[in-house]
Amino acid sequence: MHTAWTRANTVLTFFATVLSVLCVVVTVTDVFHKSDPPISVELKEVKRLVTHRGRQDQAALSMRLDADLRPAFSWNTKQLFVFVQADYVTPENAINQVVLWDKIIENKADAHLKIRALRQKYAFIDQGRNLRGLPLNLTVAWNVMPKVGRLFTRSKTFAVGTLPDEYTA
């Protein structure tokens, strides 16, 4: 009565529908997973604050990071992308965010980060000469990359102090 192509189309359509419903169910279960991992970051020292090419400020920082991101993992988590960023306000820009360090964590066992002397991976350069004497916040953020579903970001911000008033070498 029906050809083999019609039967194959029916079977494949049924399995595609079932697979789509399962993906939606997996995504919905991740919405209910709430975590509040214990995190602390502090500014250890400002190693230097200098002018970069004569028209921009550049800072070199040393930080201490203690982040237990194991609660951020669920059965649907593929990996975490963790980064530390500096947040500050200047007269030219109300929001300034500079990523200083990042790491990809692929399994739960490696998700406890305890780094006593975290040196920045990326340059901390301002668009102008505005870093001297500014209050500085450090934000630890993590992107949760699921196996199925949407990527989402969580973060915690810490006020860590003020940058030096004068240039240092």
Side-chain angles (χ1 to χ4, degrees), residues 105-116:
I105 301 172
E106 295 182 342
N107 57 45
K108 191 174 185 176
D110 298 333
H112 190 183
L113 305 172
K114 194 166 193 158
I115 306 171
R116 294 186 189 275

Side-chain angles (χ1 to χ4, degrees), residues 1-10:
M1 179 160 12
H2 295 288
T3 65
W5 291 112
T6 304
R7 291 174 192 234
N9 184 31
T10 303

